[in-house]
Amino acid sequence: MLKLFKNQQPVTLILLVIILLMTRLPFVFVQNFKSDNNYLNIELNPLSLSILLIMLVVFIQAVWLNYIFSNSHFLSEKTVIPALVWILVTGLNPNFMVIGFPIISATLIIIMMQIIFNYQSNIIQIQQCFQLGVLLGLLILMQPVLIFAIPFFIVLIYNMNTQGVREYLIFLLSIALTFFWAWSFVYLTDQSLHWISRFKYNFGLPYFPMNWVEGVKWIVISLYILGGFFSLFTLMSSASAKRKKNVRSLILLILSLGVSCLLTTHWDFSNIIIFIVPSSFLISIVLLIIHKIKYAELVFGIFALTTLSSIIYLLIQSY
């Protein structure tokens, strides 16, 4: 089955839509469906309307991530595997099926990845530094612990080739401006201390209570992510300058979000989607670098079985 998605053809897009419908449409008919995380949730009535809207959003995100991956030169293949991985991974948790922080933050990170991996010139422009700063500033406002990602982004900008110190200043200034705009609004609404109290509440060692089914699921996904992470160093050993630069940027992006996740407590597990977004590239690389068809199909089968069984388990729990 993996071979069907290794080529970009119209039929593969149809298959992606079918898989999305198969993994999401049953939840439309669940009356007791609930998400665990209410942070920044936008409630639509009926709930089925929200799920249908998220299906559209997830499909757009999947195609967008696939476009970024294909133009980042990580591998020479033109494939829809990243889109397939995103559709399956976002079905692992009920909070990915409603409009809330996980989906909103994922969209912001995808825009970041578009800027980081698909910039045209050999030198990062001031506008791109400003855009990255604003996007990171918005993420920090929503999840304060992401402030620890700033040093990694400074190194990331250095990796993208800078002309001087002004790019770093513009990046930091854009984050400060984002805070200034937001602070002006919350001050007028008498919520100026909300961000500080949220930072104190969320900063600490991670604690994610889960049952053994959830534990097995995320252990399997973590193994695929680790496999892809170590595969990046293999890609760098024999790669063009453009690919090496993008691989280093991907490593820095993953480390920045990963460190922020590891310094977060009192945080719903679904919000790890901020780490899953770039990690979907790592899972895609694992599925693509295996050249022996039997082994590749086996690895993909385990991944598909893990995600699909998790979706079925979630569906059963919802009834």
Side-chain angles (χ1 to χ4, degrees):
M1 185 177 179
L2 184 64
K3 291 177 63 177
L4 295 174
F5 298 96
K6 282 195 171 183
N7 298 310
Q8 291 183 355
Q9 297 177 351
V11 67
T12 55
L13 286 177
I14 297 174
L15 288 173
L16 287 176
V17 173
I18 292 174
I19 292 174
L20 180 63
L21 291 173
M22 289 176 59
T23 55
R24 301 301 199 283
L25 205 55
F27 291 94
V28 174
F29 306 101
V30 177
Q31 295 181 351
N32 299 322
F33 177 77
K34 293 181 179 179
S35 62
D36 301 326
N37 182 7
N38 296 319
Y39 181 51
L40 295 180
N41 274 13
I42 301 175
E43 296 184 2
L44 298 178
N45 291 312
L47 182 61
S48 57
L49 179 62
S50 177
I51 296 175
L52 290 172
L53 180 59
I54 283 297
M55 287 172 58
L56 177 62
V57 172
V58 167
F59 184 76
I60 293 173
Q61 289 177 339
V63 174
W64 196 354
L65 278 170
N66 200 90
Y67 171 80
I68 296 172
F69 185 89
S70 298
N71 289 277
S72 299
H73 307 290
F74 290 115
L75 297 170
S76 57
E77 293 93 340
K78 295 293 183 180
T79 175
V80 295
I81 294 295
L84 175 62
V85 168
W86 184 248
I87 289 173
L88 292 176
V89 165
T90 50
L92 291 173
N93 193 281
N95 298 311
F96 302 159
M97 300 184 191
V98 294
I99 303 173
F101 174 73
I103 290 296
I104 295 172
S105 61
T107 303
L108 294 178
I109 293 171
I110 292 173
I111 299 173
M112 276 184 172
M113 294 173 69
Q114 174 75 35
I115 297 170
I116 293 170
F117 297 120
N118 292 152
Y119 66 98
Q120 300 299 322
S121 63
N122 293 326
I123 299 175
I124 186 172
Q125 303 297 316
I126 291 179
Q127 302 94 308
Q128 294 166 315
C129 293
F130 182 81
Q131 292 164 359
L132 284 176
V134 170
L135 291 168
L136 183 58
L138 291 173
L139 285 171
I140 294 171
L141 286 171
M142 291 189 292
Q143 182 47 266
V145 181
L146 284 170
I147 196 170
F148 295 110
I150 292 177
F152 293 94
F153 271 81
I154 291 176
V155 180
L156 191 149
I157 291 173
Y158 173 79
N159 177 63
M160 295 169 69
N161 289 351
T162 60
Q163 295 178 325
V165 297
R166 60 179 182 174
E167 284 82 5
Y168 304 107
L169 294 176
I170 290 294
F171 170 72
L172 295 174
L173 181 62
S174 60
I175 296 176
L177 284 174
T178 306
F179 266 77
F180 176 76
W181 296 329
W183 214 278
S184 301
F185 174 77
V186 297
Y187 179 79
L188 294 175
T189 57
D190 198 26
Q191 298 179 12
S192 54
L193 298 179
H194 178 69
W195 185 88
I196 296 175
S197 61
R198 184 169 173 77
F199 176 83
K200 291 179 179 179
Y201 179 76
N202 285 284
F203 177 65
L205 295 178
Y207 173 67
F208 301 121
M210 65 184 75
N211 56 38
W212 69 269
V213 176
E214 291 282 320
V216 170
K217 172 182 67 178
W218 288 109
I219 287 173
V220 173
I221 298 299
S222 298
L223 290 175
Y224 277 83
I225 293 173
L226 285 174
F229 184 79
F230 290 117
S231 298
L232 291 177
F233 298 97
T234 304
L235 294 179
M236 288 185 64
S237 62
S238 58
S240 62
K242 175 69 172 177
R243 180 185 293 179
K244 288 181 178 179
K245 185 184 297 184
N246 283 343
V247 168
R248 289 194 297 266
S249 295
L250 180 58
I251 291 173
L252 288 167
L253 181 61
I254 289 172
L255 289 176
S256 66
L257 300 179
V259 168
S260 298
C261 287
L262 292 175
L263 293 175
T264 305
T265 189
H266 296 119
W267 193 20
D268 185 84
F269 195 76
S270 67
N271 290 334
I272 203 171
I273 193 173
I274 67 167
F275 181 68
I276 286 293
V277 180
S279 296
S280 63
F281 277 18
L282 300 182
I283 298 174
S284 302
I285 290 171
V286 169
L287 298 177
L288 286 168
I289 62 172
I290 303 175
H291 297 294
K292 291 188 177 181
I293 298 176
K294 290 183 179 180
Y295 293 142
E297 293 289 351
L298 176 61
V299 172
F300 173 72
I302 296 173
F303 172 74
L305 179 63
T306 301
T307 53
L308 292 176
S309 60
S310 298
I311 293 171
I312 294 172
Y313 176 75
L314 178 60
L315 185 61
I316 294 173
Q317 278 190 319
S318 301
Y319 277 101

